[in-house]
Amino acid sequence: MAKGEAYREAEQKIDEARRTGARDLDLSAEWSAKDSEKLTELPESLGKLTQLQSLDLSHNQLAALPESLGQLTHLQELNLNSNQLTSLPESL
């Protein structure tokens, strides 16, 4: 279920953040959410949100992050709590 409902919701939130110029984006899952409601990968379009200052990816099932996160040059806060990450991209 790599690109299931959670992925589609993330894409919609990213598109809205692009349109509005949002500086904060919350792609976290509820702590008690079912596994099918959690992100296992991130849309590459996330890297286009260069104005982001805060990004919350907590309580998902992310095992890797895209290199495009390195394009978020204004990012000051990145919450990766409760994921399955073992490393970060070189771009970070």
Side-chain angles (χ1 to χ4, degrees):
M1 170 141 183
K3 293 188 179 173
E5 187 62 30
Y7 188 91
R8 287 189 291 278
E9 278 185 37
E11 285 181 316
Q12 289 173 350
K13 287 181 179 182
I14 291 168
D15 286 344
E16 183 175 339
R18 268 182 89 190
R19 283 194 306 275
T20 63
R23 294 176 186 256
D24 303 309
L25 182 59
D26 185 353
L27 297 179
S28 65
E30 293 291 323
W31 178 81
S32 60
K34 298 176 193 171
D35 287 351
S36 62
E37 298 170 344
K38 297 179 180 186
L39 289 168
T40 58
E41 66 179 290
L42 294 172
E44 282 292 327
S45 59
L46 186 59
K48 296 179 181 176
L49 298 178
T50 56
Q51 77 283 358
L52 272 188
Q53 294 179 352
S54 175
L55 177 59
D56 187 350
L57 299 170
S58 62
H59 302 290
N60 282 293
Q61 292 187 327
L62 298 170
L65 298 174
E67 285 291 331
S68 63
L69 279 188
Q71 298 170 7
L72 305 181
T73 56
H74 290 95
L75 198 62
Q76 297 173 8
E77 284 183 47
L78 177 60
N79 186 348
L80 298 169
N81 189 36
S82 299
N83 277 284
Q84 300 171 355
L85 298 168
T86 57
S87 64
L88 295 174
E90 284 279 323
S91 61
L92 292 182

